[in-house]
Structure formats: C-alpha cells, structure tokens
Amino acid sequence: MWYLCVFFHRLLDYRKAEVESLAQLFSNEDQEYQCLQWRLPLHHHPDSPFHFVDLPSEDVAKSIANRSILVKGMYELWGEGGSYEELEECIRNYPDERKLPYLDSNSTFKINVDTFGKVISLQEQTQRIQGLSYIPFKGRVNLKNPEHKFWLMETDDYGASNGLPPMVQKRIFFGREIGGADRKLLPTYQLKSRTYLGPTAMDAEMAFLMANQALVTPGKLVYDPFVGTGSILIAAAHFGAMTMGADIDIRVVRDGRGPDCNVWSNFKQYGLPLPIALLRADNNLPPWRTGLKEVFDAIICDPPYGVRAGGRKSGGRKLMKGVIGPYIVPDDKRTDHIPSTASYSLVECVHDLLDLAGRMLVMGGRLVFFYPVLSEDDNVDNHFPEHPCFKLIATSEQILSSRYSRVLLTMVKTSPYTEDISEAARLKHLDFKENHLKWLEDGNLHSAVFSPTDPQSNGAADHAKFTKEPKPKYRGKYV
C-alpha cells in the first residue's frame, strides 16, 4: 500500500536509504535487500520532503516512522490537490470503508495543520480546520492524547523566496497519521552535554542513522574498531544491542580523563548497558585468534581520514623503515607502556577494515562506515572500495566543503570468508591502490581539504576543478 512519507528537511541524501533499511528490518530480515518503490507528488522536486512509498503493511509503516531519525511522519493519505476544492473532492471520493472506522462516535481525534516553506497564524490554522467540516467526524476532540491524529499539510506557492526546493505549484495533503519520529532522543544524546568527548566524536543524529543502516536490534553484537569516545556504540546500545569497541590509543579506551570521565562514563550517563569489552587493538594487526569467524552482527565505524585525525598503526617510524628490529617490552614497563605507532593511509585502513568485516561478520551482517571523496569528482562510484564478500547496497553523500565530501557506505555480507576470497580481496585492493586518486594513497587528504587553490601555482587546469557549476543548495540540503 502507498503511504505519504514526510521527511525532516535535512540530510536529504540519507533519507530514502534509512527508510529502505528499516523496511527490511521490520518486514523480513532474511529477505534479500530490495529497493522500495518511491514516487513524488505532482509538481514536486526530488528534494521535497514529501514522498510516496509502497510498504507491505500499516504495521511496517508505523514501525519505520517511530524508529526513523529523518522521517517526520508516515500517513494514510485521504486526499491531495492543488487547491482546497480539489482536496475536498478527493477526500469525498476516498472509500468510506477506509474512513469510517476512524470517524466513529466513540473515538477521539485531533487535527493538526502543518506548512512547508511558510508560516501561517493560529487564526489561519483554525480557518483551515473549519474548512474540513464536510468530513463527518463524530468523535470527540482530544488535543492531548487522541486516538487518531489527522494532518492537513500545505506547501508554499511557487516563486516564494524561502530557500527551499522549487515547486511548480503548491500542494495540499490531508491524511491520518500512522506514526511519527521521536526527535526527543537527539537532545538527550547531544554532544554538548556528553561527559567525555574527543575531537572526532560522531554527532548523535549521524550515529543513530548509522545504527539504523546497520539494522541494530536488541541482542545483536555491534563492533566499532575505531571506537574513540564511543559515540557510535552509544546509539547502538540505545537500540538494545550488545557493544564492543577497539582503539589503537590505549589512553582513550583505558584512561580517558579520569575515573569519572571516560568511555564507560558516557554509557553510565544515559543508563545504557556497558560495552562487553573495550580493547586496545590495531586495525592493521587484529587481535583475534586464528580460525575465529562470524562473531559480529554489525560493524559500524568512522575510519580516520587524516582530516581531523590521522590514521595510526603499530610499529613506529623506525621499525617500519627497518632502522630497528622488533623488540619486547620489559615486564616492569608494560603497565604504563604506550606502543609506538606509524602513519596509516586510508586505503590500507579501509582494506584492513573490509578484510576484518569479511572474516568477523555473520552472513547477512552489515558493515556501515564513512568514506571520503573529493567534491569535484563527478563519478565517485568508481572510487568506492570493493570486497568479494560484500554487496554495496546504499550510498549517502554529505558535502562538507567545496572540495570535500564524505559518503556513508552500507554493505551486506553475501558470501562466506575463505582464504581464496582473502586473496581475491588483496588483488582488488592492489588494483584499487593503483587506480585510485593520488591524494588518497598518499594520505594527504588534510592538505587537499584545507589548502587554498592557487591558480597561479597550480595551473588553470587544477583551478578549473574547483570552479565548476555548484549544486543547488537549499536550506537544510547539506546540513
């Protein structure tokens, strides 16, 4: 059945991917991933918050709306039109067997008026509600806790200077609310009130989106190999998952800023179950014993790009260059020993991450992680890493600057991990390194993002890359 899905007007490229993931979660987890059917209302721009989506049942629609971060509400549409006359005709023609159960005299209801692109006064809202008198409501009005909620939604006229996606003609919708998002959890988990923070702590909204993409549910085991201060695992724990994390910096996972200001205290702050374990571990040298496979239901992480924090791996510069050989830390110095580390390029980091996920994820498990791209590159799909164990099912781009974007990749494990697959993945990685952008292999993304473009020194060709026609930016488009 088709439902009207109304989104919050932010993170536009993430919206459909989240709904499609949640649709699989609440309909049939074992079903092979399939895209939902979507269509736009008449005269609407693709960036519009109003979309129609075909879902298997009302229960699925309600579950998606209640769990989603970006869905404002899911509605059974009773009518739509370009004017209130068209709307009335459409509502009158809507089947009575669909309407009458919600107009019963023993029920309570409430009508809300909402607008997109403009603000109307309380008096105008009242007039619009009174204009719906042709709908035979027999129940009692209950503004605090009604059994049924109805929404009258109206978009702005074309040509209004409101910084929103263009619409040829305004549209009016009326429908019954199936479910709506609980945005109260975002203020609860906002970073500014978090006990322990680091420079790369994941924003709460994004962390919950990643958890939804990973299909996190109670009882699942979720792992973050770059745990930092635990922002992603906090979102997973909120949805009931068991969590486990690792980081190469032992000072982060063990000490924090004291006994009451560390990763553990972040979980205690929200009353969430503590992680099963926080390991000091190197993504380049995983600590898992030989033969251990298929442990985690999901791996969710934000690998170090080298913008705010560079990637590190064990070894140290002298050891990596062969100046010194491997050494053993004396017993009397092991308690406070901080191992040496060396630079860890993003290409190598992502290859190790895919290999880890291929080995340690259960079949059907999801790997969700961010990956950087340069904004001037139109064909970014050619630069995504691949692995024989995985199928890439969703990409959601977030533009961070005129040069630099990051893409949230969602991958599903579709094949068991074997030594042959490991070798095939290694060969893919070598081909990826050879053909990928030079800045990514060299690990100098920081300079690519922050260094100013100088047409005098870099030449007209390099300057032209950053002066192409910009994408239209609406209010909320690239938040």
Side-chain angles (χ1 to χ4, degrees):
M1 181 175 176
W2 288 92
Y3 295 91
L4 177 64
C5 179
V6 181
F7 292 104
F8 289 100
H9 193 60
R10 52 182 293 106
L11 299 172
L12 307 191
D13 293 330
Y14 292 73
R15 303 180 304 182
K16 289 184 179 180
E18 185 195 24
V19 171
E20 289 175 348
S21 292
L22 293 178
Q24 182 181 6
L25 177 65
F26 293 116
S27 55
N28 184 358
E29 289 191 67
D30 297 328
Q31 179 180 340
E32 184 179 352
Y33 180 86
Q34 293 180 348
C35 292
L36 298 176
Q37 287 186 293
W38 297 84
R39 60 182 175 86
L40 280 169
L42 191 64
H43 306 310
H44 275 236
H45 188 277
D47 288 339
S48 166
F50 299 92
H51 284 72
F52 291 109
V53 59
D54 188 16
L55 296 172
S57 69
E58 184 172 313
D59 289 338
V60 172
K62 182 177 180 179
S63 298
I64 292 173
N66 293 343
R67 168 77 179 254
S68 172
I69 301 301
L70 296 179
V71 172
K72 188 175 183 179
M74 201 77 73
Y75 308 92
E76 177 194 2
L77 191 67
W78 286 16
E80 63 171 312
S83 66
Y84 280 94
E85 291 73 22
E86 287 184 31
L87 178 67
E88 178 178 349
E89 182 181 358
C90 194
I91 293 176
R92 289 184 182 277
N93 292 332
Y94 193 69
D96 286 340
E97 61 269 19
R98 300 288 304 173
K99 292 187 297 186
L100 294 180
Y102 307 101
L103 305 176
D104 186 80
S105 58
N106 295 323
S107 64
T108 58
F109 71 95
K110 176 184 178 181
I111 300 177
N112 301 279
V113 178
D114 194 15
T115 57
F116 180 71
K118 63 179 180 180
V119 177
I120 62 176
S121 66
L122 183 60
Q123 181 180 1
E124 291 175 305
Q125 294 182 38
T126 303
Q127 291 174 350
R128 282 163 169 73
I129 292 175
Q130 292 173 345
L132 299 173
S133 58
Y134 54 86
I135 302 177
F137 289 104
K138 298 179 181 179
R140 293 177 293 106
V141 174
N142 186 331
L143 300 181
K144 290 186 176 180
N145 189 27
E147 294 179 50
H148 310 300
K149 294 181 182 179
F150 298 89
W151 287 80
L152 179 67
M153 294 166 282
E154 181 179 329
T155 63
D156 200 4
D157 294 318
Y158 172 74
S161 180
N162 54 18
L164 297 175
M167 297 177 189
V168 177
Q169 181 182 334
K170 77 172 184 180
R171 204 75 180 158
I172 309 165
F173 306 93
F174 181 83
R176 178 178 63 89
E177 180 184 301
I178 304 298
D182 180 14
R183 295 281 289 188
K184 295 179 182 178
L185 65 86
L186 296 184
T188 301
Y189 288 96
Q190 61 187 341
L191 293 184
K192 67 180 182 181
S193 60
R194 189 77 54 85
T195 299
Y196 179 45
L197 281 180
T200 58
M202 180 63 67
D203 173 71
E205 182 179 42
M206 198 63 70
F208 280 104
L209 278 173
M210 296 174 77
N212 281 340
Q213 286 296 102
L215 307 184
V216 173
T217 52
K220 287 188 175 181
L221 180 57
V222 177
Y223 179 61
D224 182 355
F226 311 99
V227 67
T229 57
S231 294
I232 293 175
L233 293 188
I234 285 173
H238 172 83
F239 290 131
M242 298 179 290
T243 58
M244 185 174 179
D247 201 284
I248 195 171
D249 191 344
I250 192 172
R251 295 167 295 184
V252 173
V253 295
R254 185 186 65 182
D255 304 322
R257 296 192 180 94
D260 298 321
C261 187
N262 51 42
V263 181
W264 305 97
S265 59
N266 282 344
F267 286 82
K268 293 176 183 177
Q269 176 183 355
Y270 303 114
L272 298 173
L274 297 178
I276 293 175
L278 295 177
L279 310 176
R280 188 280 172 190
D282 183 359
N283 188 56
N284 186 242
L285 297 170
W288 319 111
R289 69 176 184 268
T290 303
L292 183 64
K293 294 182 181 180
E294 299 190 357
V295 174
F296 304 118
D297 296 287
I299 295 178
I300 315 173
C301 62
D302 184 23
Y305 317 144
V307 178
R308 287 184 292 177
R312 309 294 296 178
K313 62 181 178 180
S314 299
R317 292 189 298 273
K318 292 183 179 180
L319 182 62
M320 302 300 292
K321 293 179 180 179
V323 176
I324 61 173
Y327 61 90
I328 298 176
V329 180
D331 291 338
D332 59 328
K333 295 183 179 180
R334 289 190 176 188
T335 302
D336 298 319
H337 177 70
I338 298 177
S340 299
T341 59
S343 180
Y344 191 27
S345 72
L346 179 61
V347 169
E348 188 177 7
C349 173
V350 171
H351 169 72
D352 292 338
L353 174 63
L354 289 171
D355 192 69
L356 166 72
R359 181 187 298 271
M360 300 299 288
L361 277 178
V362 300
M363 287 296 296
R366 290 197 171 194
L367 170 63
V368 181
F369 67 101
F370 273 108
Y371 188 76
V373 295
L374 286 183
S375 297
E376 83 274 8
D377 193 338
D378 292 323
N379 194 14
V380 295
D381 289 339
N382 291 334
H383 304 304
F384 292 156
E386 299 179 9
H387 192 282
C389 282
F390 291 95
K391 176 183 179 182
L392 179 64
I393 61 171
T395 62
S396 304
E397 184 178 6
Q398 182 182 22
I399 294 180
L400 302 178
S401 71
S402 60
R403 298 186 181 188
Y404 165 55
S405 305
R406 63 178 183 174
V407 180
L408 184 64
L409 302 182
T410 303
M411 296 182 170
V412 175
K413 184 175 178 181
T414 56
S415 302
Y417 184 89
T418 63
E419 294 304 320
D420 291 339
I421 279 185
S422 177
E423 177 62 18
R426 187 185 69 82
L427 296 176
K428 276 183 174 290
H429 170 63
L430 294 176
D431 181 67
F432 179 70
K433 286 176 62 176
E434 182 177 348
N435 293 286
H436 206 276
L437 299 177
K438 184 65 175 167
W439 57 266
L440 190 56
E441 167 59 19
D442 292 342
N444 61 349
L445 180 58
H446 186 280
S447 60
V449 172
F450 292 109
S451 297
T453 303
D454 184 356
Q456 299 297 326
S457 58
N458 295 336
D462 290 336
H463 178 62
K465 292 191 300 183
F466 302 108
T467 57
K468 69 174 186 176
E469 187 71 21
K471 293 183 179 180
K473 295 183 180 179
Y474 314 117
R475 178 154 49 90
K477 171 68 173 174
Y478 298 128
V479 174

PDB file of all heavy atoms in Angstrom, residues 186-213:
ATOM      1  N   LEU A 186      17.377  13.028  20.281  1.00  0.00           N
ATOM      2  CA  LEU A 186      18.559  13.758  19.831  1.00  0.00           C
ATOM      3  C   LEU A 186      19.019  14.793  20.855  1.00  0.00           C
ATOM      4  O   LEU A 186      20.216  14.869  21.155  1.00  0.00           O
ATOM      5  CB  LEU A 186      18.301  14.405  18.469  1.00  0.00           C
ATOM      6  CG  LEU A 186      18.039  13.420  17.322  1.00  0.00           C
ATOM      7  CD1 LEU A 186      17.884  14.157  16.003  1.00  0.00           C
ATOM      8  CD2 LEU A 186      19.158  12.392  17.223  1.00  0.00           C
ATOM      9  N   PRO A 187      18.118  15.628  21.425  1.00  0.00           N
ATOM     10  CA  PRO A 187      18.576  16.494  22.514  1.00  0.00           C
ATOM     11  C   PRO A 187      19.117  15.716  23.711  1.00  0.00           C
ATOM     12  O   PRO A 187      20.026  16.181  24.399  1.00  0.00           O
ATOM     13  CB  PRO A 187      17.307  17.278  22.886  1.00  0.00           C
ATOM     14  CG  PRO A 187      16.469  17.257  21.663  1.00  0.00           C
ATOM     15  CD  PRO A 187      16.736  15.924  21.031  1.00  0.00           C
ATOM     16  N   THR A 188      18.554  14.534  23.956  1.00  0.00           N
ATOM     17  CA  THR A 188      19.031  13.724  25.081  1.00  0.00           C
ATOM     18  C   THR A 188      20.480  13.306  24.887  1.00  0.00           C
ATOM     19  O   THR A 188      21.280  13.330  25.841  1.00  0.00           O
ATOM     20  CB  THR A 188      18.151  12.474  25.244  1.00  0.00           C
ATOM     21  OG1 THR A 188      16.803  12.865  25.474  1.00  0.00           O
ATOM     22  CG2 THR A 188      18.637  11.610  26.404  1.00  0.00           C
ATOM     23  N   TYR A 189      20.838  12.950  23.659  1.00  0.00           N
ATOM     24  CA  TYR A 189      22.175  12.425  23.383  1.00  0.00           C
ATOM     25  C   TYR A 189      23.095  13.460  22.735  1.00  0.00           C
ATOM     26  O   TYR A 189      24.160  13.093  22.227  1.00  0.00           O
ATOM     27  CB  TYR A 189      22.075  11.204  22.473  1.00  0.00           C
ATOM     28  CG  TYR A 189      21.514   9.986  23.150  1.00  0.00           C
ATOM     29  CD1 TYR A 189      20.157   9.666  23.055  1.00  0.00           C
ATOM     30  CD2 TYR A 189      22.325   9.137  23.896  1.00  0.00           C
ATOM     31  CE1 TYR A 189      19.636   8.543  23.674  1.00  0.00           C
ATOM     32  CE2 TYR A 189      21.815   8.008  24.513  1.00  0.00           C
ATOM     33  CZ  TYR A 189      20.469   7.712  24.399  1.00  0.00           C
ATOM     34  OH  TYR A 189      19.962   6.595  25.020  1.00  0.00           O
ATOM     35  N   GLN A 190      22.725  14.724  22.707  1.00  0.00           N
ATOM     36  CA  GLN A 190      23.538  15.731  22.041  1.00  0.00           C
ATOM     37  C   GLN A 190      24.939  15.797  22.650  1.00  0.00           C
ATOM     38  O   GLN A 190      25.130  15.607  23.860  1.00  0.00           O
ATOM     39  CB  GLN A 190      22.856  17.088  22.100  1.00  0.00           C
ATOM     40  CG  GLN A 190      22.624  17.617  23.499  1.00  0.00           C
ATOM     41  CD  GLN A 190      21.809  18.883  23.508  1.00  0.00           C
ATOM     42  OE1 GLN A 190      21.707  19.553  22.493  1.00  0.00           O
ATOM     43  NE2 GLN A 190      21.227  19.225  24.648  1.00  0.00           N
ATOM     44  N   LEU A 191      25.919  16.101  21.795  1.00  0.00           N
ATOM     45  CA  LEU A 191      27.307  16.043  22.217  1.00  0.00           C
ATOM     46  C   LEU A 191      27.649  17.092  23.273  1.00  0.00           C
ATOM     47  O   LEU A 191      28.517  16.866  24.120  1.00  0.00           O
ATOM     48  CB  LEU A 191      28.229  16.225  21.004  1.00  0.00           C
ATOM     49  CG  LEU A 191      28.213  15.099  19.968  1.00  0.00           C
ATOM     50  CD1 LEU A 191      29.246  15.367  18.882  1.00  0.00           C
ATOM     51  CD2 LEU A 191      28.474  13.745  20.613  1.00  0.00           C
ATOM     52  N   LYS A 192      26.990  18.243  23.232  1.00  0.00           N
ATOM     53  CA  LYS A 192      27.391  19.309  24.150  1.00  0.00           C
ATOM     54  C   LYS A 192      27.118  18.960  25.612  1.00  0.00           C
ATOM     55  O   LYS A 192      27.687  19.598  26.510  1.00  0.00           O
ATOM     56  CB  LYS A 192      26.690  20.620  23.783  1.00  0.00           C
ATOM     57  CG  LYS A 192      25.190  20.647  23.987  1.00  0.00           C
ATOM     58  CD  LYS A 192      24.633  22.010  23.589  1.00  0.00           C
ATOM     59  CE  LYS A 192      23.136  22.112  23.829  1.00  0.00           C
ATOM     60  NZ  LYS A 192      22.608  23.441  23.421  1.00  0.00           N
ATOM     61  N   SER A 193      26.266  17.950  25.864  1.00  0.00           N
ATOM     62  CA  SER A 193      26.025  17.519  27.235  1.00  0.00           C
ATOM     63  C   SER A 193      26.701  16.185  27.556  1.00  0.00           C
ATOM     64  O   SER A 193      26.496  15.627  28.633  1.00  0.00           O
ATOM     65  CB  SER A 193      24.525  17.411  27.493  1.00  0.00           C
ATOM     66  OG  SER A 193      23.932  16.462  26.622  1.00  0.00           O
ATOM     67  N   ARG A 194      27.520  15.675  26.621  1.00  0.00           N
ATOM     68  CA  ARG A 194      28.200  14.387  26.801  1.00  0.00           C
ATOM     69  C   ARG A 194      29.349  14.532  27.800  1.00  0.00           C
ATOM     70  O   ARG A 194      30.102  15.502  27.778  1.00  0.00           O
ATOM     71  CB  ARG A 194      28.719  13.908  25.442  1.00  0.00           C
ATOM     72  CG  ARG A 194      29.276  12.488  25.379  1.00  0.00           C
ATOM     73  CD  ARG A 194      28.192  11.439  25.357  1.00  0.00           C
ATOM     74  NE  ARG A 194      27.181  11.585  24.325  1.00  0.00           N
ATOM     75  CZ  ARG A 194      27.299  11.141  23.074  1.00  0.00           C
ATOM     76  NH1 ARG A 194      28.411  10.560  22.675  1.00  0.00           N
ATOM     77  NH2 ARG A 194      26.294  11.278  22.236  1.00  0.00           N
ATOM     78  N   THR A 195      29.510  13.556  28.672  1.00  0.00           N
ATOM     79  CA  THR A 195      30.534  13.610  29.714  1.00  0.00           C
ATOM     80  C   THR A 195      31.943  13.602  29.137  1.00  0.00           C
ATOM     81  O   THR A 195      32.799  14.395  29.527  1.00  0.00           O
ATOM     82  CB  THR A 195      30.369  12.421  30.680  1.00  0.00           C
ATOM     83  OG1 THR A 195      29.083  12.493  31.298  1.00  0.00           O
ATOM     84  CG2 THR A 195      31.450  12.450  31.762  1.00  0.00           C
ATOM     85  N   TYR A 196      32.193  12.722  28.174  1.00  0.00           N
ATOM     86  CA  TYR A 196      33.545  12.525  27.641  1.00  0.00           C
ATOM     87  C   TYR A 196      33.506  12.668  26.128  1.00  0.00           C
ATOM     88  O   TYR A 196      32.801  11.924  25.453  1.00  0.00           O
ATOM     89  CB  TYR A 196      34.053  11.142  28.047  1.00  0.00           C
ATOM     90  CG  TYR A 196      35.430  10.800  27.539  1.00  0.00           C
ATOM     91  CD1 TYR A 196      36.483  11.710  27.617  1.00  0.00           C
ATOM     92  CD2 TYR A 196      35.696   9.548  26.996  1.00  0.00           C
ATOM     93  CE1 TYR A 196      37.749  11.381  27.168  1.00  0.00           C
ATOM     94  CE2 TYR A 196      36.952   9.202  26.554  1.00  0.00           C
ATOM     95  CZ  TYR A 196      37.985  10.125  26.631  1.00  0.00           C
ATOM     96  OH  TYR A 196      39.238   9.807  26.180  1.00  0.00           O
ATOM     97  N   LEU A 197      34.241  13.624  25.607  1.00  0.00           N
ATOM     98  CA  LEU A 197      34.260  13.899  24.173  1.00  0.00           C
ATOM     99  C   LEU A 197      35.686  13.943  23.652  1.00  0.00           C
ATOM    100  O   LEU A 197      36.618  14.322  24.371  1.00  0.00           O
ATOM    101  CB  LEU A 197      33.589  15.242  23.865  1.00  0.00           C
ATOM    102  CG  LEU A 197      32.062  15.305  23.847  1.00  0.00           C
ATOM    103  CD1 LEU A 197      31.613  16.715  23.524  1.00  0.00           C
ATOM    104  CD2 LEU A 197      31.491  14.330  22.841  1.00  0.00           C
ATOM    105  N   GLY A 198      35.834  13.588  22.382  1.00  0.00           N
ATOM    106  CA  GLY A 198      37.095  13.743  21.682  1.00  0.00           C
ATOM    107  C   GLY A 198      36.888  14.606  20.453  1.00  0.00           C
ATOM    108  O   GLY A 198      35.754  14.968  20.108  1.00  0.00           O
ATOM    109  N   PRO A 199      37.961  14.942  19.741  1.00  0.00           N
ATOM    110  CA  PRO A 199      37.839  15.839  18.581  1.00  0.00           C
ATOM    111  C   PRO A 199      37.081  15.240  17.412  1.00  0.00           C
ATOM    112  O   PRO A 199      36.617  15.969  16.533  1.00  0.00           O
ATOM    113  CB  PRO A 199      39.300  16.120  18.204  1.00  0.00           C
ATOM    114  CG  PRO A 199      40.072  14.965  18.753  1.00  0.00           C
ATOM    115  CD  PRO A 199      39.362  14.557  20.005  1.00  0.00           C
ATOM    116  N   THR A 200      36.937  13.919  17.372  1.00  0.00           N
ATOM    117  CA  THR A 200      36.253  13.271  16.241  1.00  0.00           C
ATOM    118  C   THR A 200      34.964  12.564  16.682  1.00  0.00           C
ATOM    119  O   THR A 200      34.510  11.643  15.999  1.00  0.00           O
ATOM    120  CB  THR A 200      37.180  12.255  15.559  1.00  0.00           C
ATOM    121  OG1 THR A 200      37.594  11.276  16.527  1.00  0.00           O
ATOM    122  CG2 THR A 200      38.408  12.937  14.990  1.00  0.00           C
ATOM    123  N   ALA A 201      34.387  12.970  17.801  1.00  0.00           N
ATOM    124  CA  ALA A 201      33.156  12.327  18.282  1.00  0.00           C
ATOM    125  C   ALA A 201      32.041  12.468  17.245  1.00  0.00           C
ATOM    126  O   ALA A 201      31.809  13.552  16.714  1.00  0.00           O
ATOM    127  CB  ALA A 201      32.732  12.942  19.615  1.00  0.00           C
ATOM    128  N   MET A 202      31.350  11.380  16.963  1.00  0.00           N
ATOM    129  CA  MET A 202      30.294  11.368  15.964  1.00  0.00           C
ATOM    130  C   MET A 202      29.046  12.069  16.496  1.00  0.00           C
ATOM    131  O   MET A 202      28.609  11.814  17.610  1.00  0.00           O
ATOM    132  CB  MET A 202      29.961   9.927  15.579  1.00  0.00           C
ATOM    133  CG  MET A 202      28.858   9.784  14.540  1.00  0.00           C
ATOM    134  SD  MET A 202      29.299  10.512  12.956  1.00  0.00           S
ATOM    135  CE  MET A 202      30.628   9.404  12.457  1.00  0.00           C
ATOM    136  N   ASP A 203      28.484  12.957  15.671  1.00  0.00           N
ATOM    137  CA  ASP A 203      27.240  13.637  16.025  1.00  0.00           C
ATOM    138  C   ASP A 203      26.146  12.615  16.315  1.00  0.00           C
ATOM    139  O   ASP A 203      26.061  11.562  15.666  1.00  0.00           O
ATOM    140  CB  ASP A 203      26.832  14.548  14.868  1.00  0.00           C
ATOM    141  CG  ASP A 203      25.468  15.167  15.071  1.00  0.00           C
ATOM    142  OD1 ASP A 203      25.349  16.034  15.941  1.00  0.00           O
ATOM    143  OD2 ASP A 203      24.531  14.760  14.364  1.00  0.00           O
ATOM    144  N   ALA A 204      25.288  12.915  17.314  1.00  0.00           N
ATOM    145  CA  ALA A 204      24.277  11.951  17.751  1.00  0.00           C
ATOM    146  C   ALA A 204      23.326  11.570  16.622  1.00  0.00           C
ATOM    147  O   ALA A 204      23.002  10.393  16.436  1.00  0.00           O
ATOM    148  CB  ALA A 204      23.495  12.525  18.928  1.00  0.00           C
ATOM    149  N   GLU A 205      22.869  12.541  15.831  1.00  0.00           N
ATOM    150  CA  GLU A 205      21.942  12.247  14.741  1.00  0.00           C
ATOM    151  C   GLU A 205      22.574  11.286  13.746  1.00  0.00           C
ATOM    152  O   GLU A 205      21.942  10.313  13.305  1.00  0.00           O
ATOM    153  CB  GLU A 205      21.531  13.536  14.046  1.00  0.00           C
ATOM    154  CG  GLU A 205      20.530  13.334  12.917  1.00  0.00           C
ATOM    155  CD  GLU A 205      20.123  14.643  12.265  1.00  0.00           C
ATOM    156  OE1 GLU A 205      21.005  15.489  12.038  1.00  0.00           O
ATOM    157  OE2 GLU A 205      18.926  14.821  12.001  1.00  0.00           O
ATOM    158  N   MET A 206      23.836  11.522  13.394  1.00  0.00           N
ATOM    159  CA  MET A 206      24.506  10.660  12.438  1.00  0.00           C
ATOM    160  C   MET A 206      24.754   9.273  13.021  1.00  0.00           C
ATOM    161  O   MET A 206      24.651   8.245  12.320  1.00  0.00           O
ATOM    162  CB  MET A 206      25.826  11.298  11.996  1.00  0.00           C
ATOM    163  CG  MET A 206      26.383  10.734  10.718  1.00  0.00           C
ATOM    164  SD  MET A 206      25.321  11.020   9.302  1.00  0.00           S
ATOM    165  CE  MET A 206      25.509  12.784   9.094  1.00  0.00           C
ATOM    166  N   ALA A 207      25.069   9.209  14.306  1.00  0.00           N
ATOM    167  CA  ALA A 207      25.297   7.909  14.936  1.00  0.00           C
ATOM    168  C   ALA A 207      24.032   7.060  14.921  1.00  0.00           C
ATOM    169  O   ALA A 207      24.080   5.849  14.646  1.00  0.00           O
ATOM    170  CB  ALA A 207      25.785   8.113  16.373  1.00  0.00           C
ATOM    171  N   PHE A 208      22.875   7.677  15.177  1.00  0.00           N
ATOM    172  CA  PHE A 208      21.616   6.925  15.139  1.00  0.00           C
ATOM    173  C   PHE A 208      21.268   6.508  13.712  1.00  0.00           C
ATOM    174  O   PHE A 208      20.719   5.423  13.487  1.00  0.00           O
ATOM    175  CB  PHE A 208      20.489   7.758  15.744  1.00  0.00           C
ATOM    176  CG  PHE A 208      20.489   7.748  17.250  1.00  0.00           C
ATOM    177  CD1 PHE A 208      20.942   8.833  17.969  1.00  0.00           C
ATOM    178  CD2 PHE A 208      20.047   6.631  17.941  1.00  0.00           C
ATOM    179  CE1 PHE A 208      20.945   8.824  19.360  1.00  0.00           C
ATOM    180  CE2 PHE A 208      20.045   6.607  19.325  1.00  0.00           C
ATOM    181  CZ  PHE A 208      20.494   7.709  20.040  1.00  0.00           C
ATOM    182  N   LEU A 209      21.580   7.355  12.730  1.00  0.00           N
ATOM    183  CA  LEU A 209      21.366   6.968  11.337  1.00  0.00           C
ATOM    184  C   LEU A 209      22.204   5.750  10.973  1.00  0.00           C
ATOM    185  O   LEU A 209      21.730   4.825  10.303  1.00  0.00           O
ATOM    186  CB  LEU A 209      21.725   8.139  10.416  1.00  0.00           C
ATOM    187  CG  LEU A 209      20.676   9.224  10.218  1.00  0.00           C
ATOM    188  CD1 LEU A 209      21.262  10.381   9.421  1.00  0.00           C
ATOM    189  CD2 LEU A 209      19.457   8.681   9.509  1.00  0.00           C
ATOM    190  N   MET A 210      23.464   5.750  11.403  1.00  0.00           N
ATOM    191  CA  MET A 210      24.344   4.609  11.115  1.00  0.00           C
ATOM    192  C   MET A 210      23.817   3.340  11.782  1.00  0.00           C
ATOM    193  O   MET A 210      23.862   2.247  11.194  1.00  0.00           O
ATOM    194  CB  MET A 210      25.764   4.927  11.571  1.00  0.00           C
ATOM    195  CG  MET A 210      26.404   6.093  10.826  1.00  0.00           C
ATOM    196  SD  MET A 210      28.010   6.581  11.494  1.00  0.00           S
ATOM    197  CE  MET A 210      29.063   5.283  10.828  1.00  0.00           C
ATOM    198  N   ALA A 211      23.310   3.467  12.999  1.00  0.00           N
ATOM    199  CA  ALA A 211      22.749   2.302  13.682  1.00  0.00           C
ATOM    200  C   ALA A 211      21.523   1.774  12.939  1.00  0.00           C
ATOM    201  O   ALA A 211      21.316   0.552  12.847  1.00  0.00           O
ATOM    202  CB  ALA A 211      22.385   2.674  15.121  1.00  0.00           C
ATOM    203  N   ASN A 212      20.708   2.660  12.396  1.00  0.00           N
ATOM    204  CA  ASN A 212      19.558   2.213  11.605  1.00  0.00           C
ATOM    205  C   ASN A 212      19.996   1.526  10.321  1.00  0.00           C
ATOM    206  O   ASN A 212      19.407   0.524   9.899  1.00  0.00           O
ATOM    207  CB  ASN A 212      18.651   3.401  11.285  1.00  0.00           C
ATOM    208  CG  ASN A 212      17.773   3.795  12.454  1.00  0.00           C
ATOM    209  OD1 ASN A 212      17.552   3.004  13.378  1.00  0.00           O
ATOM    210  ND2 ASN A 212      17.273   5.019  12.436  1.00  0.00           N
ATOM    211  N   GLN A 213      21.024   2.070   9.672  1.00  0.00           N
ATOM    212  CA  GLN A 213      21.539   1.439   8.461  1.00  0.00           C
ATOM    213  C   GLN A 213      22.076   0.036   8.744  1.00  0.00           C
ATOM    214  O   GLN A 213      22.018  -0.851   7.891  1.00  0.00           O
ATOM    215  CB  GLN A 213      22.642   2.294   7.850  1.00  0.00           C
ATOM    216  CG  GLN A 213      22.161   3.555   7.158  1.00  0.00           C
ATOM    217  CD  GLN A 213      21.299   3.249   5.959  1.00  0.00           C
ATOM    218  OE1 GLN A 213      20.070   3.350   6.026  1.00  0.00           O
ATOM    219  NE2 GLN A 213      21.901   2.853   4.869  1.00  0.00           N
TER     220      GLN A 213
END
